[in-house]
């Protein structure tokens, strides 16, 4: 970096330098704000995905529990499953 | 589950964008000569003009996507049009602010109402600023997509017409440095400008793909929730301007 500055002419940062810096910073900030908002939305989607994964696991566990329950009759199994699914939902 | 095609190639594209923008900044400050009239102030040119060009192209791109939606009826084109216009608005606002700063430093005023280029650009920007409120005002998703597409096409057609009308205007203080014959920029300035233009074009494409990928992922999550937990679980929390 120091080599880069050594081979280039000095930048005339006077009155114009403030305006140039302001213009570049504004553009950078606008893009940064947009990327920040998108990152927050991506995190929310990630959270929703995690919730969904937990829901899937809960439904799977409930179904497995019902399948292995020997006391349940064949007539009651269907009703029990749907009630359980509704509770989970 | 359908594969998210929008995220394909995104890391490579993002890397190319960073490289091009860094190259553009380096060229602008360490390679391009100082302008004879404006001096160091002219460095704003390398961000302001590319941002404005990409924003206007983005509006036209959104209009083309809207035509595709009306032709096919496929909601993905509506989503593409929505994101293209959304991105173009962000670029347009950044271009407008950077131009205003340049105007203040160069002409002594933040805004010059007698200048056709500035006013026409503002009209286009304000026109497209009404796109999202228009979408938000329509609850039915089908009607929302239809009306938004028609609006995007009409407003998109206004962009080149506006550009031609301004070019035909005789009185303006805004400099003309680019034309079909190559313009009157010196070689190093022209190279720097084109590198910056490519950099901002890549940035637009990268952010467009990034937002499309995020929206696609969100739609997939909503669809899965609906499949798993019933219709009520997948509904949005409120009215949305974005295609669902």
């Amino acid at each position: 970096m120091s080599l880069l500055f050594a081979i280039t002419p000095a930048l005339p940062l006077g009155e114009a330098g403030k305006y140039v810096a302001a213009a570049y910073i504004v553009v950078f900030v606008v893009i940064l704000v947009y990327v920040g908002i998108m990152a927050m939305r991506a995190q929310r989607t990630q959270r929703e995905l995690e919730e969904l994964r937990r829901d899937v696991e809960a439904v799977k566990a409930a179904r497995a529990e019902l399948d292995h329950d020997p006391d349940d009759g064949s007539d009651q199994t269907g009703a029990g499953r749907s009630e359980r699914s509704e509770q989970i939902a | 589950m359908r594969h998210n095609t929008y995220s394909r190639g995104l890391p490579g594209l993002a890397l190319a964008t960073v490289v091009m923008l860094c190259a553009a900044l380096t060229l602008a400050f360490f390679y391009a000569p100082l302008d004879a009239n404006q001096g160091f102030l002219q460095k704003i040119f390398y961000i302001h003009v590319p941002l404005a060009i990409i924003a206007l192209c983005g509006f036209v791109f959104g209009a083309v996507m809207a035509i595709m939606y009306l032709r096919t009826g496929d909601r993905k084109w509506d989503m593409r049009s929505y994101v293209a216009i959304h991105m173009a608005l962000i670029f347009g606002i950044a271009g407008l602010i950077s131009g205003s700063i340049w105007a203040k430093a160069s002409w002594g005023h933040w805004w010059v109402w007698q200048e056709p280029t500035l006013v026409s650009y503002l009209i286009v920007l304000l026109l497209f600023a009404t796109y999202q409120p228009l979408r938000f005002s329509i609850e039915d998703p089908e009607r929302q997509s239809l009306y938004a597409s028609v609006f995007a096409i009409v407003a998109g057609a206004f962009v080149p017409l506006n550009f031609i009308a301004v070019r035909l205007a005789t009185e303006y203080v805004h400099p003309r440095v680019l034309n079909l014959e190559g313009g009157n920029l010196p070689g190093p300035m022209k190279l720097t400008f084109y590198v910056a233009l490519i950099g901002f074009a890549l940035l637009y494409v990268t952010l467009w793909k990034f937002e499309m990928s995020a929206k696609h992922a969100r739609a997939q999550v909503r669809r899965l929730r609906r499949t798993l937990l019933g219709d009520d679980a997948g509904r949005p929390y409120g009215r949305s301007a974005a295609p669902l």
Side-chain angles (χ1 to χ4, degrees), chain B residues 3-13 209 213:
Chain B
H3 184 67
N4 191 346
T5 51
Y6 299 108
S7 59
R8 196 180 299 155
L10 198 52
L13 197 61
K209 276 177 80 86
S213 174

Side-chain angles (χ1 to χ4, degrees), chain B residues 65-76:
Chain B
M65 297 291 113
I67 292 171
M68 291 305 294
Y69 171 71
L70 291 185
R71 279 174 62 95
T72 61
D74 191 339
R75 299 292 296 269
K76 77 178 178 192

Side-chain angles (χ1 to χ4, degrees), chain B:
Chain B
M1 188 189 287
R2 280 186 291 176
H3 184 67
N4 191 346
T5 51
Y6 299 108
S7 59
R8 196 180 299 155
L10 198 52
L13 197 61
L15 187 69
T17 303
V18 170
V19 168
M20 284 307 280
L21 286 178
C22 286
L25 284 176
T26 308
L27 288 174
F29 287 103
F30 301 113
Y31 173 69
L34 290 177
D35 185 69
N37 293 324
Q38 300 225 352
F40 189 62
L41 200 59
Q42 186 263 351
K43 302 292 180 191
I44 300 176
F45 168 79
Y46 302 112
I47 52 166
H48 166 67
V49 180
L51 278 170
I53 290 174
I54 299 299
L56 294 176
C57 290
F59 291 136
V60 175
F61 177 55
V64 172
M65 297 291 113
I67 292 171
M68 291 305 294
Y69 171 71
L70 291 185
R71 279 174 62 95
T72 61
D74 191 339
R75 299 292 296 269
K76 77 178 178 192
W77 293 108
D78 182 42
M79 180 71 92
R80 287 173 181 177
S81 173
Y82 170 82
V83 176
I85 291 169
H86 182 213
M87 286 308 315
L89 258 179
I90 293 166
F91 274 59
I93 290 166
L96 189 77
I97 298 171
S98 61
S100 193
I101 292 169
W102 194 6
K104 176 65 181 169
S106 188
W107 302 331
H109 301 283
W110 294 104
W111 193 262
V112 179
W113 286 106
Q114 291 81 14
E115 169 57 44
T117 313
L118 268 66
V119 176
S120 69
Y121 183 75
L122 183 68
I123 290 170
V124 169
L125 211 61
L126 290 176
L127 186 63
F128 276 96
T130 61
Y131 176 78
Q132 286 219 357
L134 169 78
R135 292 196 79 112
F136 194 76
S137 67
I138 305 165
E139 199 164 5
D140 178 40
E142 292 294 329
R143 279 178 57 222
Q144 187 189 79
S145 302
L146 186 67
Y147 292 173
S149 296
V150 172
F151 177 88
I153 293 164
V154 174
F158 183 67
V159 173
L161 287 176
N162 199 33
F163 181 79
I164 293 164
V166 169
R167 282 270 156 169
L168 293 174
T170 50
E171 286 185 19
Y172 46 73
V173 289
H174 207 269
R176 292 279 177 273
V177 291
L178 297 168
N179 55 38
L180 291 175
E181 285 80 40
N184 54 8
L185 276 177
M189 283 186 178
K190 199 182 282 182
L191 173 71
T192 308
F193 169 72
Y194 286 130
V195 171
L197 186 64
I198 293 168
F200 278 106
L202 283 173
L203 181 67
Y204 179 87
V205 176
T206 305
L207 294 179
W208 180 82
K209 276 177 80 86
F210 177 52
E211 188 165 339
M212 283 301 299
S213 174
K215 288 206 181 302
H216 189 260
R218 198 162 166 73
Q220 294 266 24
V221 168
R222 198 173 284 152
R223 199 174 299 127
L224 276 174
R225 185 179 288 276
R226 205 158 35 218
T227 308
L228 185 71
L229 303 171
D231 282 342
D232 289 340
R235 282 187 187 156
Y237 301 113
R239 190 187 285 191
S240 172
L244 300 174

